[in-house]
Amino acid sequence: MHQTDSAQTTAPAVPRQAAAPTGLSPSRAGDFMTCPLLYRLRVIDRLPEPPSPAATRGTVVHAVLERLFDHPPAERTPERALSLLHPQWQRLLTERPELAELFPGDEDGSAVARWLRDAEKLLGQWFRLEDPTRLHPAERELYVETVLGSGLLLRGYIDRVDVAPTGEVRLVDYKTGRAPSRDFEGKAMFQMKFYALVVWRWKGVIPRRLQLVYLGGGGDVVTYDPDEADLLAVERKLEALWEAISDAVATGRFPATRNRLCDWCDHQASCPEFGGTPPPYPLPVQAGPDGPTDLAGPARPDEPKGDESNKES
């Protein structure tokens, strides 16, 4: 649910053991539609990715907004939010000591201070977009999952779930980046429709409203009211996507697809588009009728390409 920028150098992490995918989250669905090779390197090869200041700042801001609702409505003030910022950063540092390497050579702490001031600006922006004294979240950082009739497991975390006295449900997600242009709003909302589908299939309730709260730039709130037809279309899309992923897993064919996010990708050294070579495919491969699959070859016309129209932000 958070956006990253270019990575910083940190201590190398140890790759986890390769594994076949067991289900879909919005982020990983977006990865495959944007670049199948990126999906493979993250989900199957499970290559480590260094943390970035932007992604880590997003994590801290999300934690502050979650903890703010521990307090009574009258105490959900900008001052209270700022008072939570440093403790949440310290908590994250304790849990993930490698984050101390985000700011190498910062002996006087000035880089961290600037980074925290940027987080303060994001929090201030949120108070201009929403009034937490009037909000009563039913859930925060809610883990949701459901299994479709086909057996496909869908899962993810929803930042906030609001339930009106009348029972209507609103799903809210915080974004610490800028709001997308109108041409890309549909991509950003794909993630929320994914969550709406999970809630519908899990609880039998179609959320009344989906809401993206953008804290970067000038700030913005983007909403969408889904209906059953919308969610059925998302379900069909995800079923087709999972079929394409399953075929790629079986054959080992995960073509690299150039897209607007390539400049920020941590895996250029493993990408043929940048002169790199993917690691050996770690799962068993089914041989096709013409012999073993050429894992480094181009995508066949009938294979899925990265679909920019549905890449989540």
Side-chain angles (χ1 to χ4, degrees), residues 24 27 38 43 90 93 129 135 164 172 193 249 258 295:
L24 273 179
S27 297
L38 175 63
V43 176
Q90 291 302 317
L93 270 178
L129 297 171
L135 298 173
V172 181
K193 291 181 180 180
V249 170
R258 275 192 177 268
L295 301 187

Side-chain angles (χ1 to χ4, degrees), residues 264-305:
W264 290 272
C265 183
D266 292 310
H267 301 296
Q268 292 184 7
S270 299
C271 180
E273 291 291 323
F274 290 87
T277 303
Y281 187 61
L283 301 180
V285 174
Q286 296 178 2
D290 299 322
T293 302
D294 177 8
L295 301 187
R300 297 192 303 266
D302 60 334
E303 288 187 325
K305 300 274 187 181

Side-chain angles (χ1 to χ4, degrees), residues 44-61:
I44 297 175
D45 298 273
R46 305 172 85 180
L47 297 185
E49 297 182 353
S52 73
T56 306
R57 182 171 55 236
T59 300
V60 174
V61 168

